[in-house]
Amino acid sequence: EEVKSDVEELKKLYADMKGGKKKEEMSAARKPIRHNPEAKAAQRKQMQFAKGQFNTTLDRVLNKLNK
């Protein structure tokens, strides 16, 4: 009997907690997400090291990926 009463108490607490969260979530107002595809990001200045070096295959691939 003692275990049954403990289980019932826990069920009541769980039901109270579950119901309280739903009310809080529904009442919270959220701001809509806005996206501007035309926004310009600041351009980074690209630094070049060893300007006289020959480009390897890896260099050419990485240069195309970084464009």
Side-chain angles (χ1 to χ4, degrees):
E1 289 181 25
E2 187 175 322
V3 174
K4 288 182 182 179
S5 63
D6 288 341
V7 170
E8 298 216 7
E9 283 181 37
L10 290 174
K11 284 183 182 180
K12 288 179 185 178
L13 288 173
Y14 178 73
D16 290 342
M17 288 173 54
K18 188 176 179 183
K21 285 185 181 179
K22 286 183 181 178
K23 291 179 185 176
E24 290 175 10
E25 288 176 5
M26 295 180 90
S27 65
R30 307 241 180 206
K31 293 182 181 178
I33 297 174
R34 294 184 184 175
H35 173 69
N36 185 3
E38 296 177 1
K40 301 275 181 169
Q43 294 288 333
R44 295 184 191 170
K45 185 175 180 181
Q46 187 175 15
M47 304 207 39
Q48 293 183 346
F49 299 102
K51 292 181 182 179
Q53 179 183 5
F54 293 105
N55 285 340
T56 62
T57 305
L58 180 63
D59 291 333
R60 288 191 296 261
V61 169
L62 293 177
N63 283 336
K64 287 195 178 207
L65 289 175
N66 287 330
K67 285 186 180 181

Short mmCIF file of all heavy atoms in Angstrom, two decimals:
data_model
loop_
_atom_site.label_atom_id
_atom_site.label_comp_id
_atom_site.label_asym_id
_atom_site.label_seq_id
_atom_site.Cartn_x
_atom_site.Cartn_y
_atom_site.Cartn_z
N GLU A 1 0.82 -1.19 0.00
CA GLU A 1 0.00 0.00 0.00
C GLU A 1 0.87 1.26 0.00
O GLU A 1 0.53 2.24 -0.64
CB GLU A 1 -0.91 0.01 1.23
CG GLU A 1 -2.02 -1.03 1.17
CD GLU A 1 -2.89 -0.95 2.40
OE1 GLU A 1 -2.94 0.12 3.02
OE2 GLU A 1 -3.49 -1.97 2.73
N GLU A 2 1.94 1.19 0.72
CA GLU A 2 2.82 2.36 0.80
C GLU A 2 3.43 2.67 -0.57
O GLU A 2 3.54 3.83 -0.97
CB GLU A 2 3.93 2.08 1.81
CG GLU A 2 4.80 3.28 2.11
CD GLU A 2 5.80 2.98 3.21
OE1 GLU A 2 5.48 2.27 4.18
OE2 GLU A 2 6.92 3.49 3.06
N VAL A 3 3.81 1.63 -1.27
CA VAL A 3 4.40 1.81 -2.60
C VAL A 3 3.35 2.37 -3.56
O VAL A 3 3.65 3.27 -4.36
CB VAL A 3 4.96 0.47 -3.13
CG1 VAL A 3 5.45 0.61 -4.56
CG2 VAL A 3 6.08 -0.03 -2.23
N LYS A 4 2.14 1.88 -3.48
CA LYS A 4 1.07 2.36 -4.34
C LYS A 4 0.81 3.84 -4.11
O LYS A 4 0.62 4.61 -5.05
CB LYS A 4 -0.21 1.56 -4.13
CG LYS A 4 -0.15 0.15 -4.67
CD LYS A 4 -1.45 -0.56 -4.47
CE LYS A 4 -1.37 -2.00 -4.98
NZ LYS A 4 -2.61 -2.74 -4.77
N SER A 5 0.83 4.27 -2.86
CA SER A 5 0.59 5.68 -2.57
C SER A 5 1.74 6.54 -3.09
O SER A 5 1.52 7.63 -3.62
CB SER A 5 0.39 5.89 -1.07
OG SER A 5 1.57 5.56 -0.35
N ASP A 6 2.96 6.03 -2.99
CA ASP A 6 4.12 6.76 -3.53
C ASP A 6 4.03 6.89 -5.05
O ASP A 6 4.32 7.95 -5.62
CB ASP A 6 5.43 6.06 -3.15
CG ASP A 6 5.75 6.22 -1.67
OD1 ASP A 6 5.19 7.13 -1.03
OD2 ASP A 6 6.58 5.42 -1.16
N VAL A 7 3.62 5.81 -5.70
CA VAL A 7 3.49 5.82 -7.16
C VAL A 7 2.42 6.83 -7.57
O VAL A 7 2.60 7.60 -8.53
CB VAL A 7 3.16 4.41 -7.68
CG1 VAL A 7 2.78 4.45 -9.15
CG2 VAL A 7 4.34 3.48 -7.47
N GLU A 8 1.32 6.86 -6.87
CA GLU A 8 0.24 7.81 -7.20
C GLU A 8 0.69 9.24 -7.00
O GLU A 8 0.37 10.12 -7.79
CB GLU A 8 -1.00 7.48 -6.38
CG GLU A 8 -1.53 6.10 -6.69
CD GLU A 8 -3.04 6.04 -6.64
OE1 GLU A 8 -3.66 7.10 -6.50
OE2 GLU A 8 -3.56 4.94 -6.75
N GLU A 9 1.48 9.50 -5.96
CA GLU A 9 2.00 10.85 -5.72
C GLU A 9 2.91 11.26 -6.86
O GLU A 9 2.84 12.39 -7.37
CB GLU A 9 2.79 10.89 -4.41
CG GLU A 9 1.93 10.94 -3.16
CD GLU A 9 2.78 11.01 -1.91
OE1 GLU A 9 3.83 11.69 -1.94
OE2 GLU A 9 2.42 10.38 -0.93
N LEU A 10 3.77 10.34 -7.28
CA LEU A 10 4.67 10.63 -8.39
C LEU A 10 3.90 10.89 -9.68
O LEU A 10 4.27 11.76 -10.47
CB LEU A 10 5.67 9.50 -8.57
CG LEU A 10 6.73 9.35 -7.47
CD1 LEU A 10 7.57 8.12 -7.70
CD2 LEU A 10 7.61 10.59 -7.42
N LYS A 11 2.85 10.13 -9.92
CA LYS A 11 2.03 10.34 -11.12
C LYS A 11 1.40 11.72 -11.11
O LYS A 11 1.36 12.42 -12.12
CB LYS A 11 0.94 9.27 -11.23
CG LYS A 11 1.46 7.93 -11.69
CD LYS A 11 0.33 6.94 -11.84
CE LYS A 11 0.83 5.58 -12.27
NZ LYS A 11 -0.27 4.62 -12.42
N LYS A 12 0.92 12.15 -9.94
CA LYS A 12 0.31 13.48 -9.83
C LYS A 12 1.36 14.57 -10.08
O LYS A 12 1.11 15.54 -10.79
CB LYS A 12 -0.32 13.67 -8.45
CG LYS A 12 -1.58 12.88 -8.24
CD LYS A 12 -2.13 13.09 -6.85
CE LYS A 12 -3.34 12.20 -6.59
NZ LYS A 12 -3.85 12.36 -5.22
N LEU A 13 2.54 14.40 -9.49
CA LEU A 13 3.61 15.38 -9.70
C LEU A 13 4.01 15.45 -11.17
O LEU A 13 4.23 16.53 -11.73
CB LEU A 13 4.84 15.04 -8.85
CG LEU A 13 4.70 15.26 -7.35
CD1 LEU A 13 5.92 14.70 -6.63
CD2 LEU A 13 4.55 16.74 -7.07
N TYR A 14 4.10 14.29 -11.81
CA TYR A 14 4.47 14.24 -13.23
C TYR A 14 3.40 14.93 -14.09
O TYR A 14 3.73 15.69 -15.00
CB TYR A 14 4.66 12.79 -13.67
CG TYR A 14 4.99 12.65 -15.13
CD1 TYR A 14 6.23 13.01 -15.61
CD2 TYR A 14 4.05 12.18 -16.04
CE1 TYR A 14 6.55 12.90 -16.95
CE2 TYR A 14 4.34 12.06 -17.38
CZ TYR A 14 5.59 12.42 -17.83
OH TYR A 14 5.89 12.31 -19.16
N ALA A 15 2.15 14.68 -13.78
CA ALA A 15 1.06 15.31 -14.54
C ALA A 15 1.09 16.82 -14.35
O ALA A 15 0.88 17.58 -15.31
CB ALA A 15 -0.27 14.73 -14.10
N ASP A 16 1.36 17.29 -13.14
CA ASP A 16 1.44 18.74 -12.89
C ASP A 16 2.61 19.35 -13.66
O ASP A 16 2.48 20.43 -14.26
CB ASP A 16 1.61 19.02 -11.39
CG ASP A 16 0.35 18.70 -10.60
OD1 ASP A 16 -0.73 18.60 -11.21
OD2 ASP A 16 0.47 18.54 -9.37
N MET A 17 3.74 18.68 -13.65
CA MET A 17 4.91 19.21 -14.34
C MET A 17 4.68 19.22 -15.86
O MET A 17 5.02 20.18 -16.54
CB MET A 17 6.15 18.38 -14.02
CG MET A 17 6.65 18.57 -12.61
SD MET A 17 7.98 17.46 -12.16
CE MET A 17 9.16 17.73 -13.45
N LYS A 18 4.10 18.18 -16.38
CA LYS A 18 3.87 18.07 -17.81
C LYS A 18 2.88 19.14 -18.28
O LYS A 18 3.10 19.78 -19.29
CB LYS A 18 3.34 16.68 -18.13
CG LYS A 18 3.24 16.38 -19.60
CD LYS A 18 2.81 14.94 -19.82
CE LYS A 18 2.69 14.64 -21.30
NZ LYS A 18 2.20 13.30 -21.54
N GLY A 19 1.83 19.35 -17.56
CA GLY A 19 0.83 20.35 -17.91
C GLY A 19 1.38 21.76 -17.81
O GLY A 19 1.07 22.63 -18.61
N GLY A 20 2.22 22.04 -16.84
CA GLY A 20 2.80 23.36 -16.65
C GLY A 20 3.72 23.77 -17.78
O GLY A 20 3.75 24.91 -18.21
N LYS A 21 4.48 22.83 -18.30
CA LYS A 21 5.42 23.14 -19.38
C LYS A 21 4.67 23.51 -20.66
O LYS A 21 5.06 24.41 -21.37
CB LYS A 21 6.33 21.94 -19.65
CG LYS A 21 7.41 21.77 -18.61
CD LYS A 21 8.35 20.67 -18.99
CE LYS A 21 9.42 20.48 -17.92
NZ LYS A 21 10.33 19.41 -18.25
N LYS A 22 3.58 22.82 -20.95
CA LYS A 22 2.83 23.11 -22.17
C LYS A 22 2.27 24.53 -22.12
O LYS A 22 2.32 25.25 -23.10
CB LYS A 22 1.69 22.12 -22.35
CG LYS A 22 2.15 20.75 -22.79
CD LYS A 22 0.97 19.84 -23.03
CE LYS A 22 1.41 18.45 -23.44
NZ LYS A 22 0.29 17.54 -23.63
N LYS A 23 1.77 24.93 -20.99
CA LYS A 23 1.20 26.27 -20.87
C LYS A 23 2.28 27.32 -21.04
O LYS A 23 2.07 28.33 -21.71
CB LYS A 23 0.52 26.45 -19.51
CG LYS A 23 -0.75 25.62 -19.36
CD LYS A 23 -1.35 25.81 -18.00
CE LYS A 23 -2.55 24.90 -17.79
NZ LYS A 23 -3.08 25.01 -16.43
N GLU A 24 3.45 27.11 -20.47
CA GLU A 24 4.54 28.06 -20.58
C GLU A 24 5.03 28.17 -22.01
O GLU A 24 5.28 29.25 -22.52
CB GLU A 24 5.70 27.66 -19.67
CG GLU A 24 5.41 27.83 -18.20
CD GLU A 24 6.54 27.30 -17.34
OE1 GLU A 24 7.62 26.99 -17.90
OE2 GLU A 24 6.34 27.20 -16.13
N GLU A 25 5.15 27.04 -22.70
CA GLU A 25 5.65 27.05 -24.08
C GLU A 25 4.67 27.75 -25.01
O GLU A 25 5.07 28.49 -25.89
CB GLU A 25 5.90 25.63 -24.56
CG GLU A 25 7.10 24.97 -23.92
CD GLU A 25 7.26 23.54 -24.34
OE1 GLU A 25 6.50 23.08 -25.22
OE2 GLU A 25 8.15 22.87 -23.81
N MET A 26 3.40 27.54 -24.80
CA MET A 26 2.41 28.12 -25.69
C MET A 26 2.26 29.62 -25.45
O MET A 26 1.95 30.37 -26.37
CB MET A 26 1.07 27.41 -25.52
CG MET A 26 1.11 25.96 -25.95
SD MET A 26 -0.45 25.16 -25.74
CE MET A 26 -1.17 25.49 -27.33
N SER A 27 2.48 30.08 -24.25
CA SER A 27 2.29 31.49 -23.95
C SER A 27 3.49 32.34 -24.36
O SER A 27 3.36 33.54 -24.51
CB SER A 27 2.01 31.68 -22.46
OG SER A 27 3.15 31.31 -21.71
N ALA A 28 4.64 31.72 -24.55
CA ALA A 28 5.84 32.47 -24.91
C ALA A 28 5.75 32.93 -26.36
O ALA A 28 5.51 32.15 -27.26
CB ALA A 28 7.08 31.60 -24.71
N ALA A 29 5.92 34.25 -26.57
CA ALA A 29 5.88 34.80 -27.93
C ALA A 29 7.28 34.72 -28.52
O ALA A 29 8.27 35.04 -27.87
CB ALA A 29 5.40 36.23 -27.89
N ARG A 30 7.37 34.32 -29.76
CA ARG A 30 8.66 34.19 -30.43
C ARG A 30 8.73 35.19 -31.57
O ARG A 30 7.74 35.47 -32.24
CB ARG A 30 8.82 32.78 -31.00
CG ARG A 30 8.60 31.70 -29.98
CD ARG A 30 9.82 30.91 -29.83
NE ARG A 30 9.57 29.87 -28.83
CZ ARG A 30 10.51 29.35 -28.13
NH1 ARG A 30 11.73 29.74 -28.29
NH2 ARG A 30 10.24 28.42 -27.25
N LYS A 31 9.93 35.70 -31.82
CA LYS A 31 10.13 36.61 -32.94
C LYS A 31 10.36 35.79 -34.20
O LYS A 31 11.06 34.79 -34.17
CB LYS A 31 11.35 37.50 -32.69
CG LYS A 31 11.16 38.47 -31.56
CD LYS A 31 12.39 39.33 -31.41
CE LYS A 31 12.24 40.28 -30.25
NZ LYS A 31 13.45 41.11 -30.06
N PRO A 32 9.78 36.21 -35.32
CA PRO A 32 10.02 35.46 -36.56
C PRO A 32 11.45 35.66 -37.03
O PRO A 32 12.05 36.71 -36.81
CB PRO A 32 9.02 36.07 -37.54
CG PRO A 32 8.73 37.42 -37.00
CD PRO A 32 8.86 37.31 -35.51
N ILE A 33 11.98 34.65 -37.69
CA ILE A 33 13.34 34.72 -38.22
C ILE A 33 13.29 35.44 -39.55
O ILE A 33 12.47 35.12 -40.42
CB ILE A 33 13.93 33.31 -38.40
CG1 ILE A 33 14.01 32.62 -37.06
CG2 ILE A 33 15.29 33.37 -39.08
CD1 ILE A 33 14.45 31.17 -37.15
N ARG A 34 14.16 36.43 -39.72
CA ARG A 34 14.20 37.17 -40.97
C ARG A 34 15.52 36.89 -41.68
O ARG A 34 16.57 36.88 -41.07
CB ARG A 34 14.07 38.67 -40.69
CG ARG A 34 12.72 39.01 -40.12
CD ARG A 34 12.60 40.48 -39.95
NE ARG A 34 11.30 40.78 -39.31
CZ ARG A 34 10.92 41.96 -38.93
NH1 ARG A 34 11.73 42.99 -39.09
NH2 ARG A 34 9.76 42.15 -38.38
N HIS A 35 15.40 36.72 -42.97
CA HIS A 35 16.59 36.44 -43.77
C HIS A 35 16.63 37.42 -44.93
O HIS A 35 15.65 37.61 -45.62
CB HIS A 35 16.56 35.02 -44.31
CG HIS A 35 17.66 34.72 -45.27
ND1 HIS A 35 18.96 34.65 -44.87
CD2 HIS A 35 17.65 34.51 -46.61
CE1 HIS A 35 19.72 34.39 -45.94
NE2 HIS A 35 18.95 34.31 -47.00
N ASN A 36 17.77 38.05 -45.12
CA ASN A 36 17.95 38.97 -46.22
C ASN A 36 19.04 38.42 -47.13
O ASN A 36 20.22 38.51 -46.81
CB ASN A 36 18.34 40.36 -45.70
CG ASN A 36 18.42 41.38 -46.81
OD1 ASN A 36 18.14 41.07 -47.96
ND2 ASN A 36 18.81 42.58 -46.46
N PRO A 37 18.66 37.82 -48.28
CA PRO A 37 19.67 37.23 -49.14
C PRO A 37 20.58 38.25 -49.81
O PRO A 37 21.63 37.92 -50.32
CB PRO A 37 18.85 36.46 -50.18
CG PRO A 37 17.53 37.13 -50.19
CD PRO A 37 17.32 37.65 -48.80
N GLU A 38 20.17 39.53 -49.82
CA GLU A 38 20.96 40.56 -50.47
C GLU A 38 21.97 41.22 -49.53
O GLU A 38 22.71 42.10 -49.95
CB GLU A 38 20.04 41.61 -51.07
CG GLU A 38 19.15 41.04 -52.16
CD GLU A 38 18.19 42.07 -52.71
OE1 GLU A 38 18.22 43.22 -52.26
OE2 GLU A 38 17.41 41.71 -53.60
N ALA A 39 21.99 40.81 -48.28
CA ALA A 39 22.92 41.41 -47.33
C ALA A 39 24.35 41.06 -47.73
O ALA A 39 24.67 39.94 -48.10
CB ALA A 39 22.64 40.92 -45.92
N LYS A 40 25.21 42.04 -47.65
CA LYS A 40 26.61 41.83 -48.04
C LYS A 40 27.47 41.65 -46.80
O LYS A 40 27.38 42.43 -45.86
CB LYS A 40 27.13 43.06 -48.81
CG LYS A 40 26.35 43.37 -50.06
CD LYS A 40 26.87 42.56 -51.20
CE LYS A 40 26.06 42.95 -52.44
NZ LYS A 40 26.59 42.46 -53.64
N ALA A 41 28.28 40.63 -46.83
CA ALA A 41 29.22 40.40 -45.74
C ALA A 41 30.50 41.16 -46.06
O ALA A 41 30.82 41.42 -47.22
CB ALA A 41 29.52 38.91 -45.60
N ALA A 42 31.23 41.52 -45.04
CA ALA A 42 32.48 42.24 -45.23
C ALA A 42 33.47 41.35 -45.98
O ALA A 42 33.64 40.18 -45.66
CB ALA A 42 33.06 42.66 -43.90
N GLN A 43 34.14 41.92 -46.98
CA GLN A 43 35.10 41.16 -47.77
C GLN A 43 36.41 41.07 -47.01
O GLN A 43 36.90 42.05 -46.47
CB GLN A 43 35.35 41.86 -49.11
CG GLN A 43 34.14 41.87 -50.02
CD GLN A 43 33.84 40.50 -50.59
OE1 GLN A 43 34.74 39.69 -50.75
NE2 GLN A 43 32.58 40.26 -50.88
N ARG A 44 36.98 39.89 -46.96
CA ARG A 44 38.26 39.69 -46.29
C ARG A 44 39.38 39.95 -47.29
O ARG A 44 39.28 39.57 -48.46
CB ARG A 44 38.39 38.27 -45.78
CG ARG A 44 37.41 37.93 -44.71
CD ARG A 44 37.70 36.53 -44.22
NE ARG A 44 36.61 36.06 -43.38
CZ ARG A 44 36.50 34.82 -42.98
NH1 ARG A 44 37.40 33.92 -43.34
NH2 ARG A 44 35.50 34.46 -42.21
N LYS A 45 40.44 40.55 -46.83
CA LYS A 45 41.59 40.75 -47.68
C LYS A 45 42.38 39.45 -47.72
O LYS A 45 42.75 38.90 -46.68
CB LYS A 45 42.46 41.89 -47.14
CG LYS A 45 43.60 42.23 -48.04
CD LYS A 45 44.35 43.44 -47.55
CE LYS A 45 45.48 43.76 -48.49
NZ LYS A 45 46.26 44.91 -48.03
N GLN A 46 42.61 38.95 -48.93
CA GLN A 46 43.29 37.67 -49.07
C GLN A 46 44.80 37.90 -49.07
O GLN A 46 45.30 38.76 -49.79
CB GLN A 46 42.86 37.00 -50.36
CG GLN A 46 43.38 35.59 -50.50
CD GLN A 46 42.84 34.92 -51.75
OE1 GLN A 46 42.30 35.57 -52.62
NE2 GLN A 46 43.02 33.62 -51.81
N MET A 47 45.49 37.14 -48.26
CA MET A 47 46.94 37.27 -48.18
C MET A 47 47.58 36.18 -49.03
O MET A 47 47.13 35.03 -49.02
CB MET A 47 47.40 37.15 -46.73
CG MET A 47 46.73 38.15 -45.84
SD MET A 47 47.60 38.66 -44.40
CE MET A 47 49.26 38.80 -44.83
N GLN A 48 48.61 36.56 -49.78
CA GLN A 48 49.32 35.59 -50.59
C GLN A 48 50.75 35.47 -50.08
O GLN A 48 51.43 36.47 -49.86
CB GLN A 48 49.34 36.03 -52.05
CG GLN A 48 47.98 36.00 -52.69
CD GLN A 48 48.06 36.37 -54.17
OE1 GLN A 48 49.07 36.88 -54.63
NE2 GLN A 48 46.99 36.11 -54.89
N PHE A 49 51.18 34.24 -49.93
CA PHE A 49 52.54 33.97 -49.51
C PHE A 49 53.28 33.31 -50.67
O PHE A 49 52.70 32.56 -51.45
CB PHE A 49 52.54 33.03 -48.30
CG PHE A 49 51.83 33.62 -47.10
CD1 PHE A 49 50.55 33.23 -46.77
CD2 PHE A 49 52.46 34.56 -46.32
CE1 PHE A 49 49.91 33.77 -45.68
CE2 PHE A 49 51.82 35.11 -45.22
CZ PHE A 49 50.54 34.72 -44.90
N ALA A 50 54.54 33.57 -50.79
CA ALA A 50 55.40 32.97 -51.82
C ALA A 50 54.81 33.19 -53.20
O ALA A 50 54.40 32.26 -53.88
CB ALA A 50 55.64 31.50 -51.53
N LYS A 51 54.77 34.43 -53.65
CA LYS A 51 54.13 34.77 -54.91
C LYS A 51 54.82 34.13 -56.11
O LYS A 51 54.18 33.86 -57.13
CB LYS A 51 54.10 36.29 -55.09
CG LYS A 51 53.18 36.97 -54.12
CD LYS A 51 53.16 38.46 -54.35
CE LYS A 51 52.27 39.14 -53.33
NZ LYS A 51 52.24 40.58 -53.50
N GLY A 52 56.11 33.87 -56.04
CA GLY A 52 56.83 33.31 -57.18
C GLY A 52 56.76 31.81 -57.27
O GLY A 52 57.33 31.19 -58.17
N GLN A 53 56.05 31.17 -56.36
CA GLN A 53 56.01 29.70 -56.31
C GLN A 53 55.10 29.16 -57.41
O GLN A 53 54.08 29.76 -57.75
CB GLN A 53 55.48 29.27 -54.94
CG GLN A 53 55.37 27.78 -54.77
CD GLN A 53 54.76 27.42 -53.41
OE1 GLN A 53 54.35 28.30 -52.68
NE2 GLN A 53 54.71 26.15 -53.11
N PHE A 54 55.44 28.00 -57.98
CA PHE A 54 54.61 27.37 -58.98
C PHE A 54 53.40 26.73 -58.30
O PHE A 54 53.50 26.20 -57.19
CB PHE A 54 55.39 26.28 -59.74
CG PHE A 54 56.49 26.86 -60.59
CD1 PHE A 54 57.80 26.74 -60.19
CD2 PHE A 54 56.18 27.51 -61.77
CE1 PHE A 54 58.81 27.27 -60.96
CE2 PHE A 54 57.19 28.05 -62.54
CZ PHE A 54 58.52 27.94 -62.14
N ASN A 55 52.25 26.77 -58.99
CA ASN A 55 51.04 26.18 -58.43
C ASN A 55 51.03 24.67 -58.66
O ASN A 55 51.19 24.21 -59.79
CB ASN A 55 49.80 26.79 -59.07
CG ASN A 55 49.53 28.18 -58.55
OD1 ASN A 55 50.02 28.56 -57.50
ND2 ASN A 55 48.77 28.94 -59.30
N THR A 56 50.80 23.94 -57.60
CA THR A 56 50.66 22.50 -57.71
C THR A 56 49.18 22.19 -57.97
O THR A 56 48.33 23.08 -57.95
CB THR A 56 51.11 21.79 -56.42
OG1 THR A 56 50.27 22.23 -55.36
CG2 THR A 56 52.56 22.10 -56.10
N THR A 57 48.87 20.94 -58.20
CA THR A 57 47.49 20.54 -58.41
C THR A 57 46.65 20.87 -57.19
O THR A 57 45.53 21.39 -57.31
CB THR A 57 47.40 19.03 -58.71
OG1 THR A 57 48.25 18.73 -59.80
CG2 THR A 57 45.99 18.61 -59.03
N LEU A 58 47.18 20.63 -56.01
CA LEU A 58 46.47 20.93 -54.78
C LEU A 58 46.22 22.44 -54.66
O LEU A 58 45.13 22.85 -54.27
CB LEU A 58 47.26 20.42 -53.57
CG LEU A 58 46.62 20.68 -52.20
CD1 LEU A 58 45.28 19.96 -52.09
CD2 LEU A 58 47.55 20.26 -51.10
N ASP A 59 47.21 23.24 -55.02
CA ASP A 59 47.03 24.69 -54.97
C ASP A 59 45.91 25.15 -55.88
O ASP A 59 45.09 25.99 -55.52
CB ASP A 59 48.33 25.41 -55.36
CG ASP A 59 49.42 25.23 -54.33
OD1 ASP A 59 49.09 25.04 -53.14
OD2 ASP A 59 50.60 25.29 -54.72
N ARG A 60 45.85 24.60 -57.10
CA ARG A 60 44.80 24.98 -58.04
C ARG A 60 43.43 24.58 -57.52
O ARG A 60 42.46 25.34 -57.63
CB ARG A 60 45.06 24.36 -59.40
CG ARG A 60 46.23 25.00 -60.14
CD ARG A 60 46.28 24.53 -61.57
NE ARG A 60 46.55 23.10 -61.65
CZ ARG A 60 47.75 22.57 -61.90
NH1 ARG A 60 48.78 23.35 -62.12
NH2 ARG A 60 47.91 21.27 -61.94
N VAL A 61 43.31 23.39 -56.94
CA VAL A 61 42.03 22.93 -56.40
C VAL A 61 41.59 23.82 -55.25
O VAL A 61 40.44 24.26 -55.18
CB VAL A 61 42.12 21.45 -55.94
CG1 VAL A 61 40.91 21.04 -55.14
CG2 VAL A 61 42.33 20.55 -57.12
N LEU A 62 42.50 24.11 -54.34
CA LEU A 62 42.15 24.95 -53.19
C LEU A 62 41.81 26.38 -53.62
O LEU A 62 40.91 27.00 -53.04
CB LEU A 62 43.29 24.95 -52.17
CG LEU A 62 43.55 23.62 -51.47
CD1 LEU A 62 44.75 23.72 -50.55
CD2 LEU A 62 42.33 23.16 -50.70
N ASN A 63 42.47 26.91 -54.62
CA ASN A 63 42.15 28.24 -55.12
C ASN A 63 40.75 28.28 -55.70
O ASN A 63 40.00 29.24 -55.50
CB ASN A 63 43.16 28.69 -56.18
CG ASN A 63 44.46 29.14 -55.55
OD1 ASN A 63 44.49 29.54 -54.40
ND2 ASN A 63 45.55 29.05 -56.31
N LYS A 64 40.34 27.24 -56.41
CA LYS A 64 38.99 27.21 -56.97
C LYS A 64 37.94 27.07 -55.87
O LYS A 64 36.86 27.63 -55.96
CB LYS A 64 38.84 26.07 -57.97
CG LYS A 64 39.57 26.37 -59.25
CD LYS A 64 39.15 25.45 -60.36
CE LYS A 64 39.89 25.87 -61.61
NZ LYS A 64 39.17 25.54 -62.81
N LEU A 65 38.25 26.30 -54.83
CA LEU A 65 37.31 26.14 -53.73
C LEU A 65 37.17 27.42 -52.92
O LEU A 65 36.08 27.71 -52.40
CB LEU A 65 37.76 25.01 -52.79
CG LEU A 65 37.64 23.60 -53.34
CD1 LEU A 65 38.24 22.61 -52.37
CD2 LEU A 65 36.20 23.25 -53.61
N ASN A 66 38.21 28.21 -52.81
CA ASN A 66 38.18 29.43 -52.00
C ASN A 66 37.55 30.61 -52.71
O ASN A 66 37.35 31.65 -52.12
CB ASN A 66 39.60 29.81 -51.54
CG ASN A 66 40.08 28.88 -50.45
OD1 ASN A 66 39.28 28.35 -49.69
ND2 ASN A 66 41.37 28.65 -50.40
N LYS A 67 37.23 30.49 -54.00
CA LYS A 67 36.62 31.61 -54.73
C LYS A 67 35.18 31.79 -54.36
O LYS A 67 34.47 31.03 -53.91
CB LYS A 67 36.74 31.40 -56.23
CG LYS A 67 38.14 31.67 -56.71
CD LYS A 67 38.20 31.60 -58.21
CE LYS A 67 39.61 31.88 -58.69
NZ LYS A 67 39.74 31.85 -60.12
#
